[in-house]
Amino acid sequence: MASRAKNFMVEKDMKNVEGVMVTLTPDNKLRVQSSRHGPDGCRQNTVELLKRESRWVFENPSLGVLDYRVLGTNFKDYAVIFTQLEFGDEAFNTVELYSRTEMASHKAMQLFTKWSQGLGFKSHQQAQLQKDLTCAHKIFQFSGFWYIIAIATDTQGFLPARDKRKLGASVVKVHKTGQLKVVIAFSRPQGCQSMEVTLTKDRKKPVFRNTLKGVKGFHVLSTDYTYGLVYLRLGRAGNNYKSLLLFNSCAHMILP
C-alpha cells in the first residue's frame, strides 16, 4: 500500500492486511465492501461508486471518493487500484495492491512498485501490511464467483459421460445477515442448468439450508478463500442426495 494520508507514516507499521470485495451492481454501480482493523476491532464498510464515462473509473464525491480506478489487473489474481479521497480538510491519494492470494505474486508486486514509484510516492509513503488476516477474512465469508472443478455425488444420472464433463460454476453472495444467495450451474446433456436459492444459517451449526427448496444443507467443510470444499445435501419427497463439491477461484488446480 502507498498513501499520502497525514497519519500513514505513523500507522503504517501497525496496519494489517485488509479484506476487500468488489462487485458490479445491476444498475452499473461499483459496490466496494471492506474489512479492516481499527482501534475498536474489525471495522466493515460498504460504499457504492458511480461510473464515469471512462471504462474503469468510478466516484462518489458525497462519500469523499473523488476517484477510484483500476491501474492494472490480470482479472484473475491481482489488481492495482488508485483512489483519490477527501475527508474534511484532508485530501490525499493511495495506491493499493489487491491480491486473491495471501502472498501476492512477483508480477503483481512489480506492477504495484511501477505505479507507486511512477506516481511519485516516496519509500516512507509505502508499506507492506502485516499478515494478520483476522479482519480481512471477515469480508469474504466465502462470497464470490467459483469454478466447480470436481464433484462426487450419489445423485443418479447426474454425472455425464467422462468425455462430456465440463466445469461447473457457482456464485455465493451474502444476502443479509445469516443468509446466503447461492447460484450453482452445471452443463447437462440437455444444456446448461442452474439453481438459485437463498439459504438461512442454522442457529447452532455452520450450515445453511432451505428445506422448502429442497436444500437440506450447504456446508463449507474447508477453505482458504482460494478454494472451498462444500458438502451439499438435497432432498425432497423422500429422496435424499449427497454431493461433495470442490470450489476453486481459478479454472484449474494443482492436485498432489
Side-chain angles (χ1 to χ4, degrees):
M1 179 179 186
S3 175
R4 292 192 174 95
K6 288 188 295 186
N7 60 354
F8 181 74
M9 286 186 291
V10 177
E11 298 178 350
K12 68 177 186 177
D13 292 333
M14 298 178 288
K15 284 184 173 291
N16 296 329
V17 170
E18 302 172 1
V20 179
M21 184 165 63
V22 182
T23 53
L24 193 65
T25 67
D27 54 352
N28 219 27
K29 295 178 182 177
L30 199 69
R31 179 177 293 128
V32 182
Q33 298 171 270
S34 61
S35 179
R36 63 195 63 188
H37 186 76
D40 52 350
C42 297
R43 300 174 59 184
Q44 297 190 32
N45 186 46
T46 301
V47 297
E48 287 194 348
L49 308 178
L50 309 176
K51 190 175 185 296
R52 287 191 196 165
E53 292 183 3
S54 300
R55 185 178 179 187
W56 292 107
V57 182
F58 295 81
E59 65 180 1
N60 192 331
S62 65
L63 297 178
V65 183
L66 306 184
D67 195 313
Y68 180 103
R69 67 178 65 202
V70 180
L71 298 177
T73 181
N74 69 348
F75 296 96
K76 184 178 70 173
D77 302 317
Y78 63 83
V80 177
I81 307 296
F82 172 85
T83 53
Q84 178 71 40
L85 305 170
E86 186 176 90
F87 300 125
D89 59 353
E90 183 183 11
F92 61 95
N93 46 42
T94 68
V95 175
E96 296 176 299
L97 173 59
Y98 292 5
S99 175
R100 291 189 183 274
T101 57
E102 294 179 13
M103 293 292 294
S105 67
H106 180 65
K107 188 174 182 179
M109 291 298 298
Q110 281 185 320
L111 187 64
F112 170 78
T113 300
K114 171 189 171 183
W115 277 107
S116 58
Q117 291 181 351
L119 291 171
F121 286 90
K122 307 299 182 183
S123 59
H124 64 271
Q125 295 174 320
Q126 303 179 47
Q128 187 164 342
L129 306 184
Q130 301 294 318
K131 291 181 175 59
D132 182 341
L133 304 176
T134 305
C135 291
H137 280 170
K138 287 184 178 294
I139 197 62
F140 294 114
Q141 302 296 325
F142 208 67
S143 295
F145 175 86
W146 298 93
Y147 292 100
I148 302 174
I149 65 172
I151 180 172
T153 182
D154 63 2
T155 307
Q156 188 174 4
F158 181 83
L159 293 177
R162 183 176 295 274
D163 61 342
K164 295 182 179 179
R165 295 176 189 175
K166 298 180 180 180
L167 292 175
S170 179
V171 176
V172 182
K173 293 183 179 180
V174 177
H175 184 54
K176 56 185 179 181
T177 303
Q179 288 191 339
L180 291 180
K181 181 172 287 187
V182 179
V183 179
I184 295 179
F186 283 102
S187 178
R188 303 293 300 280
Q190 56 269 47
C192 182
Q193 291 188 344
S194 64
M195 172 186 73
E196 180 175 345
V197 63
T198 299
L199 308 176
T200 301
K201 188 179 183 298
D202 186 274
R203 291 184 178 181
K204 297 181 179 180
K205 301 177 181 179
V207 178
F208 291 80
R209 55 173 59 95
N210 186 333
T211 53
L212 293 177
K213 296 290 186 179
V215 181
K216 291 190 171 183
F218 181 96
H219 184 190
V220 181
L221 300 176
S222 177
T223 183
D224 69 351
Y225 302 96
T226 64
Y227 81 90
L229 191 62
V230 176
Y231 180 45
L232 180 65
R233 293 187 297 117
L234 304 176
R236 185 179 287 176
N239 297 314
N240 296 291
Y241 307 102
K242 303 186 295 293
S243 298
L244 194 63
L245 310 175
L246 179 57
F247 285 23
N248 200 53
S249 58
C250 302
H252 57 84
M253 187 175 190
I254 300 175
L255 299 175

